[in-house]
C-alpha cells in the first residue's frame, strides 16, 4: 500500500516537474487571440526570460510617441557575427494578423530548436532578428476604439498646414521614394511623408539594416491582406538582378503554404500582382544588398480583410510559417552547404545506431 | 549648418565635388594648392546653383483632408502617379488587371444573385484578355470560377465568363458587365434565406447592431446573414464606383438598423466601410437596402459620408 502511494506521488512529482519545465502553467499565452501592445511587450520579456541561452531583446529605435522599438534576437550565441534573417510585423497598424504571426513564429522556433535538427542547425548558423510590432504607435491607436480599428499609418502629426496625422511607413523608405504609388496629400493612406525617412520608425529599421548589412541574408516583412508573396521592386521599370531566383524561391514558398490548408498565395512583383509602389522597406532592403527580400501578404482575399476572425489566426500562422521556413531553409542550405550534409549524416547515423542497438537486444 | 551642407552634398553632387568639399570642411586650416583652389571654386558655384534649384523633396499638398472632401470620385483618391495600363491582349490571370476586372464581375454577380445565404467570391481567374474599344475604353474578357459563402471553398465552384467594359470618360462612368455563369438559373433561393425572411419580416422586428465583424473579426451567427446582405448591397456601390484603378472590398459594417418593412421587403439601413486596395482608403457609405427572396437585393438610397479620422486631435 505504502509502496503504491509512494510510486503515485513520484509519478505526480515527475509530471509536475515536466509541465513546469515546458512552461505550461495555468497562464500560458494564447497564440490564437489578438493581443494588445502591453501583452505583446510582456510576452517578449517572457520569451527572453524563459530562453536566456538563445533569446535576447534589443531596442533599436523610438516611435514618434517615444516608445522603444524592440526586437527579439534568437539563435545560438557565437564568437563571430553570424549571418542573419530579419522579420518585421505590423508596419501597418490595422494588419493585426501580422504581429500575431511574428509571435507564432517565435513560439515555433523556440519550441523546436532542441528537438528538430533542422531548426537546431538554423540556430547554429543564423541569428533571427524579429520585430513583432514595428509601428507601435499605430497599433496601439488601432486598439483605441471601434472608430480607430482601421488606422494604417504612423501617428506623427502633419507638417505645415496639414491637419491630418500619419505617414505610410511603407512608402517612407529611401527606395525610389516618391516615384510611384504614393500620394502627396498628407491625409492620404499612402502619404509618403514630407521627406524620405521623416518617420523615426523607418529610420530605426534603416539604421539597423545598414549596420547589419553584411550579415543579413534575408529580409521578410509581414502584412495583410491579399494572400501574396511579393518580390522587389515596387517600381514597374526596375528589376532585381536575382528576380528569377526570387520568383523560384517565392513560388516554392507558395507551394509550401498551399500544402498546409489549401490556400493559394500568388507570387510576383508588386506592380504585377498588386500595384506599383515606392519607398517600401522591402525595396530598401534589396537595394542595400540583402539578397532575399520578400513581402508576405497574409489571409484573406477580401472577405474579412483586415478584420480576420480569430479562429483563422492559427491556420494562417501555420501556413505562413511553412512559407517563411521554405525561404529560410533555402537560403540556409545555399550558404551553409556542408551543414545540410552534416544534418543528414547525423540523422542516418542515429537511425543506424538505434537499429543496431535494438538488434543487439535480441 | 555643416550637417545640412553635408546632407545636401550627398544628395546632389558628384563624387569628386563631394570629396573635395568634404575634405575642405574637414580640414579648413590646410593650405590649398592652386588646382585645388580652382576645383573648390567650381564646386562652390555648382553647390550654390544646385541649392537654388533644390526643393524639400516634393511639395506637400495642403488641401482639405482627403476623406472629408466632396463627392467620392475614385479618381481623386487614386495615387497621383497612375499605373501604366498598356497591357492589351492576353493577360496574366494572377496579375492585378485581370483580378480587378474579375472583382467587378463579382460585384455585378452579387447585385443580381446575392442573398443573405449566398455571397459570391472569386476563386480563380483561368484566362483573361483585354482590348481597347472604338468608343474609348477597355474591354476585358474573363474566364473565372466563383465560390459561394457561407460554404466557401467547401462548396461547389461555379464557372463563369464575363465581359467587363471600363469606359474612358472625363467624369467617372460605371463599368458595364455582361456575365454568364453555369447553372446560375438553377440556383434558387435557399431554405435558409426563406427561414431568415420569415423570422425578420414580422412587424415588431427591429434588429440593430454596430461594427460587424468586431475588431477581432468575430460576429455572432445570428448577425452573419445581415453582414452578407450588407456585402451584397455594398456591391451595388462598389460596382458603380469601380474603375481599372480601383479594387474594392467591404471592410466592415459600421452599423445596421432595420426599418419598418415595406411591401413585403425587409428594409435595412446600413453604414458600410469599403476598402480600396490601390489607394488603401476606407470609404464610408450610408445606404438603404431592401430584400426579399423573390425580389433579391435592391439599394434604394445611397450616400457617401465624409470621414475625417485622420484629422482627429490626439487625446490629452
Amino acid at each position: 500500500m505504502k509502496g503504491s502511494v509512494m510510486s503515485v506521488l513520484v509519478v505526480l512529482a515527475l509530471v509536475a516537474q515536466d509541465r513546469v519545465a515546458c512552461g505550461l502553467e495555468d497562464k500560458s499565452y494564447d497564440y490564437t487571440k489578438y493581443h494588445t501592445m502591453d501583452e505583446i511587450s510582456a510576452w517578449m520579456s517572457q520569451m527572453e526570460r524563459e530562453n536566456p541561452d538563445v533569446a535576447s531583446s534589443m531596442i533599436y529605435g523610438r516611435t514618434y510617441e517615444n516608445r522603444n522599438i524592440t526586437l527579439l534576437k534568437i539563435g545560438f550565441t557565437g564568437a563571430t557575427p553570424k549571418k542573419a534573417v530579419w522579420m518585421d510585423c505590423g508596419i501597418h497598424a490595422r494588419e493585426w494578423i501580422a504581429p500575431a504571426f511574428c509571435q507564432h513564429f517565435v513560439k515555433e522556433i523556440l519550441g523546436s530548436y532542441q528537438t528538430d535538427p533542422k531548426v537546431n542547425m538554423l540556430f547554429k548558423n543564423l541569428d533571427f532578428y524579429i520585430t513583432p510590432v514595428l509601428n507601435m504607435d499605430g497599433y496601439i491607436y488601432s486598439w483605441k476604439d471601434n472608430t480607430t480599428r482601421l488606422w494604417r499609418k504612423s501617428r506623427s502629426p502633419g507638417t505645415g498646414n496639414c491637419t491630418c496625422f500619419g505617414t505610410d511607413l511603407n512608402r517612407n523608405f529611401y527606395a525610389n521614394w516618391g516615384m510611384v504609388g504614393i500620394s502627396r496629400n498628407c491625409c492620404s493612406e499612402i502619404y509618403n511623408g514630407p521627406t524620405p525617412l521623416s518617420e523615426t520608425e523607418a529610420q530605426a529599421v534603416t539604421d539597423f539594416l545598414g549596420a547589419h548589412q553584411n550579415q543579413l541574408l534575408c529580409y521578410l516583412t509581414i502584412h495583410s491582406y491579399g494572400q501574396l508573396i511579393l518580390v522587389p521592386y515596387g517600381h514597374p521599370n526596375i528589376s532585381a538582378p536575382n528576380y528569377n531566383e526570387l520568383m523560384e524561391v517565392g513560388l516554392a514558398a507558395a507551394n509550401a503554404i498551399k500544402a498546409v490548408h489549401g490556400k493559394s498565395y500568388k507570387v510576383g512583383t508588386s506592380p504585377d500582382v498588386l500595384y506599383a509602389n515606392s519607398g517600401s522597406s522591402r525595396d530598401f532592403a534589396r537595394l542595400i544588398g540583402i539578397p532575399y527580400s520578400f513581402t508576405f501578404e497574409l489571409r484573406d482575399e477580401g472577405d474579412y480583410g483586415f478584420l480576420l476572425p480569430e479562429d483563422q489566426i492559427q491556420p494562417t500562422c501555420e501556413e505562413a510559417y511553412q512559407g517563411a521556413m521554405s525561404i529560410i531553409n533555402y537560403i540556409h542550405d545555399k550558404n551553409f552547404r556542408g551543414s545540410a550534409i552534416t544534418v543528414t549524416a547525423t540523422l542516418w547515423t542515429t537511425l543506424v545506431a538505434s537499429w543496431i542497438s535494438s538488434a543487439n537486444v535480441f | 549648418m555643416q550637417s545640412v551642407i553635408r546632407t545636401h552634398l550627398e544628395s546632389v553632387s558628384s563624387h569628386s565635388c563631394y570629396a573635395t568639399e568634404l575634405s575642405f570642411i574637414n580640414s579648413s586650416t590646410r593650405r590649398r594648392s592652386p588646382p585645388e583652389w580652382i576645383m573648390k571654386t567650381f564646386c562652390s558655384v555648382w553647390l550654390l546653383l544646385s541649392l537654388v534649384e533644390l526643393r524639400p523633396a516634393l511639395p506637400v499638398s495642403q488641401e482639405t483632408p482627403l476623406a472629408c472632401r466632396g463627392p467620392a470620385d475614385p479618381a481623386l483618391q487614386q495615387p497621383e502617379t497612375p499605373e501604366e495600363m498598356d497591357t492589351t491582349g492576353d493577360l496574366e490571370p494572377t496579375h492585378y488587371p485581370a483580378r480587378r476586372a474579375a472583382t467587378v464581375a463579382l460585384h455585378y454577380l452579387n447585385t443580381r444573385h446575392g442573398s443573405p445565404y449566398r455571397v459570391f467570391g472569386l476563386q480563380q481567374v483561368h484566362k483573361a484578355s483585354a482590348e481597347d474599344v472604338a468608343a474609348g475604353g477597355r474591354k476585358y474578357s474573363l474566364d473565372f470560377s466563383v465560390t459561394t459563402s457561407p460554404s466557401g471553398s467547401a462548396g461547389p465552384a461555379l464557372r463563369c465568363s464575363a465581359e467587363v467594359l471600363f469606359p474612358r470618360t472625363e467624369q467617372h462612368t460605371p463599368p458595364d458587365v455582361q456575365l454568364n455563369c453555369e447553372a446560375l438559373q438553377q440556383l434558387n433561393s435557399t431554405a435558409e434565406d426563406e427561414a431568415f425572411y420569415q423570422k425578420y419580416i414580422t412587424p415588431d422586428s427591429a434588429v440593430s447592431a454596430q461594427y460587424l465583424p468586431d475588431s477581432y473579426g468575430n460576429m455572432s451567427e445570428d448577425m452573419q446573414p445581415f453582414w452578407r446582405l450588407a456585402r451584397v448591397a455594398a456591391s451595388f456601390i462598389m460596382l458603380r464606383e469601380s474603375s481599372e484603378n480601383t479594387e474594392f472590398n467591404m471592410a466592415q459594417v459600421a452599423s445596421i438598423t432595420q426599418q419598418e418593412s415595406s411591401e413585403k421587403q425587409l428594409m435595412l439601413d446600413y453604414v458600410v466601410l469599403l476598402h480600396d486596395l490601390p489607394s488603401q482608403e476606407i470609404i464610408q457609405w450610408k445606404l438603404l437596402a431592401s430584400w426579399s427572396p423573390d425580389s433579391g437585393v435592391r439599394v434604394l438610397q445611397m450616400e457617401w459620408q465624409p470621414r475625417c479620422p485622420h484629422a482627429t486631435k490626439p487625446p490629452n
Side-chain angles (χ1 to χ4, degrees):
Chain A
M1 177 61 189
K2 220 172 168 185
S4 57
V5 167
M6 278 309 295
S7 53
V8 165
L9 283 172
V10 166
V11 167
L12 281 172
L14 284 170
V15 167
Q17 185 193 55
D18 187 51
R19 282 179 66 83
V20 167
C22 291
L24 289 171
E25 290 90 18
D26 295 326
K27 34 181 167 67
S28 61
Y29 196 75
D30 192 344
Y31 292 91
T32 67
K33 292 264 180 289
Y34 295 116
H35 289 280
T36 63
M37 193 64 234
D38 283 345
E39 287 167 354
I40 296 173
S41 298
W43 166 85
M44 286 176 77
S45 305
Q46 188 189 351
M47 291 298 105
E48 210 183 344
R49 262 195 331 269
E50 289 176 358
N51 302 274
D53 295 339
V54 292
S56 59
S57 65
M58 289 170 69
I59 297 168
Y60 63 97
R62 294 182 79 80
T63 66
Y64 174 77
E65 290 173 354
N66 237 351
R67 298 185 170 93
N68 286 328
I69 306 176
T70 315
L71 58 75
L72 282 170
K73 178 182 178 185
I74 298 177
F76 292 130
T77 39
T80 48
K82 293 158 66 189
K83 293 296 182 188
V85 170
W86 167 284
M87 184 186 295
D88 64 67
C89 297
I91 280 189
H92 291 136
R94 58 192 180 198
E95 298 164 12
W96 285 13
I97 186 63
F101 173 68
C102 267
Q103 294 165 69
H104 174 98
F105 185 88
V106 165
K107 177 224 348 165
E108 283 298 310
I109 59 175
L110 286 176
S112 64
Y113 77 94
Q114 287 168 321
T115 48
D116 184 330
K118 284 195 86 172
V119 181
N120 193 283
M121 186 64 62
L122 292 176
F123 271 45
K124 179 159 162 277
N125 292 322
L126 296 170
D127 280 331
F128 291 89
Y129 293 107
I130 301 172
T131 304
V133 185
L134 178 58
N135 180 8
M136 298 164 75
D137 296 350
Y139 187 74
I140 289 166
Y141 186 72
S142 73
W143 275 79
K144 181 164 168 279
D145 59 54
N146 282 314
T147 67
T148 64
R149 173 63 177 86
L150 294 172
W151 186 260
R152 169 182 168 89
K153 302 187 285 182
S154 67
R155 288 297 297 166
S156 57
T159 54
N161 290 348
C162 177
T163 55
C164 290
F165 276 73
T167 289
D168 186 342
L169 291 176
N170 210 31
R171 302 286 186 278
N172 192 240
F173 283 79
Y174 222 133
N176 302 308
W177 183 85
M179 290 188 74
V180 71
I182 57 97
S183 174
R184 292 308 294 152
N185 186 314
C186 74
C187 299
S188 163
E189 297 282 17
I190 51 175
Y191 173 57
N192 56 339
T195 53
L197 296 184
S198 54
E199 308 307 295
T200 52
E201 296 87 346
Q203 185 69 62
V205 174
T206 299
D207 289 345
F208 190 95
L209 295 185
H212 295 78
Q213 209 167 335
N214 296 324
Q215 292 166 251
L216 283 163
L217 293 174
C218 182
Y219 177 88
L220 297 174
T221 181
I222 315 296
H223 292 248
S224 76
Y225 59 90
Q227 292 177 208
L228 308 167
I229 297 175
L230 303 173
V231 305
Y233 289 106
H235 194 290
N237 299 344
I238 305 172
S239 244
N242 60 341
Y243 168 79
N244 288 332
E245 189 188 13
L246 288 170
M247 284 299 292
E248 266 181 51
V249 174
L251 286 163
N255 282 339
I257 288 173
K258 192 163 192 158
V260 184
H261 298 296
K263 292 296 183 185
S264 288
Y265 276 56
K266 293 165 280 298
V267 184
T269 63
S270 199
D272 279 346
V273 298
L274 184 57
Y275 45 59
N277 71 343
S278 56
S280 70
S281 62
R282 172 206 64 229
D283 282 0
F284 174 72
R286 187 62 196 91
L287 274 174
I288 60 166
I290 300 172
Y292 303 95
S293 182
F294 297 91
T295 306
F296 275 53
E297 296 277 358
L298 301 181
R299 287 196 199 180
D300 56 20
E301 287 179 304
D303 284 359
Y304 292 96
F306 302 116
L307 308 177
L308 193 69
E310 285 180 312
D311 64 12
Q312 286 198 48
I313 294 179
Q314 175 76 5
T316 305
C317 289
E318 283 169 352
E319 69 200 15
Y321 180 79
Q322 293 304 322
M325 273 313 190
S326 162
I327 295 172
I328 292 166
N329 279 320
Y330 170 88
I331 295 167
H332 170 273
D333 293 348
K334 192 171 178 199
N335 283 273
F336 301 94
R337 188 163 290 151
S339 319
I341 298 170
T342 314
V343 171
T344 323
T346 314
L347 277 170
W348 274 109
T349 315
T350 320
L351 276 167
V352 169
S354 61
W355 176 81
I356 291 172
S357 61
S358 64
N360 282 338
V361 169
F362 305 102
Chain B
M1 186 55 189
Q2 275 197 3
S3 59
V4 169
I5 295 171
R6 194 186 302 245
T7 319
H8 172 64
L9 286 169
E10 284 167 10
S11 65
V12 167
S13 318
S14 74
H15 284 295
S16 56
C17 267
Y18 172 33
T20 313
E21 289 296 353
L22 203 58
S23 67
F24 167 65
I25 291 169
N26 284 337
S27 52
S28 48
T29 55
R30 200 162 58 89
R31 283 213 316 175
R32 293 173 292 283
S33 57
E36 225 182 279
W37 180 87
I38 293 166
M39 184 65 177
K40 193 206 157 287
T41 316
F42 170 73
C43 285
S44 305
V45 170
W46 185 357
L47 181 68
L48 278 166
L49 283 173
S50 63
L51 271 171
V52 168
E53 289 175 42
L54 187 72
R55 279 167 187 56
L58 305 167
V60 178
S61 176
Q62 291 164 3
E63 302 162 44
T64 48
L66 188 75
C68 299
R69 267 190 294 189
D73 182 350
L76 278 178
Q77 285 157 359
Q78 294 315 304
E80 281 158 21
T81 48
E83 297 140 333
E84 288 162 33
M85 301 295 254
D86 55 358
T87 42
T88 314
D90 282 338
L91 300 174
E92 185 60 52
T94 57
H95 288 187
Y96 77 76
R99 192 182 62 239
R100 287 184 195 174
T103 302
V104 169
L106 258 302
H107 294 323
Y108 177 83
L109 178 58
N110 277 316
T111 62
R112 304 295 248 187
H113 296 279
S115 77
Y117 282 84
R118 189 164 65 228
V119 176
F120 296 95
L122 179 66
Q123 187 201 54
Q124 196 189 356
V125 177
H126 303 291
K127 279 206 324 243
S129 64
E131 59 176 355
D132 289 331
V133 295
R138 183 175 284 136
K139 189 165 74 167
Y140 289 73
S141 299
L142 305 161
D143 169 13
F144 57 104
S145 290
V146 304
T147 56
T148 54
S149 280
S151 36
S153 43
L158 279 168
R159 193 66 173 252
C160 299
S161 65
E163 280 185 358
V164 178
L165 170 63
F166 291 106
R168 299 263 174 86
T169 51
E170 276 282 312
Q171 294 251 323
H172 173 73
T173 315
D176 180 78
V177 182
Q178 310 287 323
L179 178 131
N180 220 305
C181 293
E182 65 180 16
L184 202 54
Q185 291 76 4
Q186 279 113 321
L187 282 178
N188 287 323
S189 159
T190 66
E192 290 119 319
D193 278 334
E194 281 294 337
F196 174 79
Y197 177 74
Q198 292 305 329
K199 183 171 177 186
Y200 292 104
I201 198 66
T202 57
D204 51 349
S205 177
V207 173
S208 77
Q210 290 202 313
Y211 295 104
L212 299 174
D214 65 16
S215 290
Y216 311 95
N218 298 328
M219 186 168 24
S220 71
E221 221 178 295
D222 279 345
M223 295 313 294
Q224 284 182 14
F226 289 102
W227 174 73
R228 283 191 292 266
L229 254 182
R231 285 184 66 194
V232 176
S235 297
F236 285 82
I237 301 171
M238 295 191 285
L239 174 63
R240 207 182 73 158
E241 297 294 306
S242 286
S243 73
E244 285 168 286
N245 297 321
T246 61
E247 197 171 339
F248 288 109
N249 288 299
M250 186 179 82
Q252 193 178 32
V253 176
S255 73
I256 162 191
T257 317
Q258 184 175 8
Q259 303 297 310
E260 201 179 308
S261 302
S262 160
E263 292 170 18
K264 300 202 193 146
Q265 307 290 313
L266 283 182
M267 303 290 282
L268 297 160
D269 237 338
Y270 279 111
V271 175
V272 295
L273 298 172
L274 306 180
H275 173 238
D276 171 49
L277 269 168
S279 66
Q280 292 291 347
E281 292 295 329
I282 302 292
I283 309 151
Q284 184 167 312
W285 283 84
K286 181 170 153 61
L287 62 97
L288 177 63
S290 72
W291 176 75
S292 74
D294 294 333
S295 315
V297 177
R298 279 189 280 225
V299 173
L300 309 171
Q301 291 165 27
M302 59 173 91
E303 182 195 327
W304 174 78
Q305 295 199 310
R307 206 174 160 260
C308 306
H310 308 255
T312 315
K313 291 204 182 347
N316 292 323

